[in-house]
Amino acid sequence: MSQGTQNKGGDETKNRILLAAQRLFAERGVEAVSLRMITTEALANVAAVNYHFGSKEELIDEVVVQHMMPVMRERMRLLDEAEQKFQIGVVPVEVILDAFMRPFLTVMQESGESRELFCKFMGRCMSERGDKLPPKAIRVAQRVVKRITGMLSDALPDVELEVLSWRLHFCFGVMSHTLMHEDTLKTVSKGVSGDPDFETTLQRMIDYCKGGLKAGSSALTPNSGGQSEFLF
């Protein structure tokens, strides 16, 4: 067997393990999935996991990084774009929230993964691995959160930073819960919630979180027209 054939076979095995792990993590939760369950789903063995990743924890890190890093990069790109657009004045809260939340939609579309699988996995990452992110992802996440908090502080100068930090934390919760449990809402509402596309759901999350972030604020900010103002 040639070296090229061996490498191809190894890559295919590695990809099967990654996909199997993602599916199982999304469906059952990271901590509930055993290495044996992953290898059975991937038609692989524990030795293959150890060879490609080193351990279950390193496999988890690889799956998380593979999905979180594109989201983080897209957030930074959209924040750059927003600051460029609103060079005079401050970036509106809803624009900051869009840059914070939209990357999930963009990255999902680019990945080609099913909406259900992608959303549930990302929700699990946020709710179950938020305090256990790989070092590489933590560093990037800290830069993103610091930047978003700073931009929100500029837009809402009369909201104390401590309060603003908590409100942004609540926004994380809204997004995590929505990503993981949209199907639950459809069930308990007996269909009243409808079947909105992701863009509609995104706008509803932004509207809801915007209200929470602005609560009690009297700050003024320019709208997209540049000069006119509106009350928060």
Side-chain angles (χ1 to χ4, degrees):
M1 182 183 295
S2 68
Q3 185 66 38
T5 302
Q6 288 179 327
N7 289 340
K8 182 179 179 182
D11 289 343
E12 289 176 350
T13 300
K14 182 178 180 179
N15 288 334
R16 286 203 314 273
I17 294 170
L18 286 168
L19 289 171
Q22 182 196 354
R23 283 195 298 270
L24 290 169
F25 293 157
E27 293 168 0
R28 308 187 183 201
V30 176
E31 303 304 328
V33 175
S34 68
L35 201 55
R36 182 66 62 188
M37 291 165 66
I38 295 170
T39 55
T40 299
E41 177 83 6
L43 301 178
N45 52 46
V46 174
V49 174
N50 292 333
Y51 174 77
H52 289 291
F53 305 100
S55 67
K56 179 192 173 185
E57 195 61 30
E58 288 175 284
L59 168 59
I60 295 170
D61 287 352
E62 179 77 14
V63 180
V64 170
V65 167
Q66 188 181 72
H67 287 75
M68 291 298 294
M69 292 304 285
V71 171
M72 297 297 185
R73 288 193 294 268
E74 181 64 8
R75 280 175 172 164
M76 294 297 278
R77 187 190 72 78
L78 290 176
L79 292 172
D80 287 340
E81 191 178 274
E83 288 187 326
Q84 182 65 29
K85 180 178 179 181
F86 295 91
Q87 293 185 47
I88 300 176
V90 298
V91 181
V93 172
E94 58 267 30
V95 175
I96 300 170
L97 283 171
D98 189 86
F100 173 54
M101 296 180 175
R102 181 170 296 281
F104 285 99
L105 173 60
T106 305
V107 173
M108 178 187 71
Q109 291 173 332
E110 292 177 350
S111 73
E113 296 176 12
S114 73
R115 173 179 171 178
E116 181 180 10
L117 176 63
F118 184 89
C119 288
K120 282 190 175 183
F121 178 74
M122 295 305 291
R124 295 280 190 192
C125 284
M126 295 171 66
S127 64
E128 297 180 15
R129 304 295 294 185
D131 60 340
K132 299 177 183 178
L133 290 176
K136 180 180 180 181
I138 288 176
R139 290 192 295 270
V140 177
Q142 288 173 335
R143 289 200 298 270
V144 171
V145 171
K146 181 179 180 180
R147 188 172 181 189
I148 289 175
T149 303
M151 293 172 71
L152 287 171
S153 184
D154 289 340
L156 303 168
D158 58 344
V159 178
E160 294 181 7
L161 187 58
E162 179 183 344
V163 174
L164 192 59
S165 297
W166 275 102
R167 291 179 181 181
L168 183 57
H169 181 65
F170 299 150
C171 292
F172 271 100
V174 168
M175 189 163 52
S176 172
H177 185 83
T178 301
L179 288 171
M180 285 181 59
H181 300 298
E182 187 177 19
D183 52 347
T184 302
L185 175 60
K186 294 176 185 177
T187 300
V188 298
S189 71
K190 296 183 178 180
V192 172
S193 62
D195 189 23
D197 58 23
F198 199 99
E199 180 66 35
T200 301
T201 300
L202 174 66
Q203 291 304 320
R204 289 172 177 173
M205 285 195 293
I206 290 173
D207 289 343
Y208 181 84
C209 291
K210 178 174 66 174
L213 287 168
K214 291 182 176 182
S217 174
S218 59
L220 296 174
T221 188
N223 64 15
S224 57
Q227 297 302 314
S228 60
E229 298 176 326
F230 61 89
L231 282 170
F232 278 99

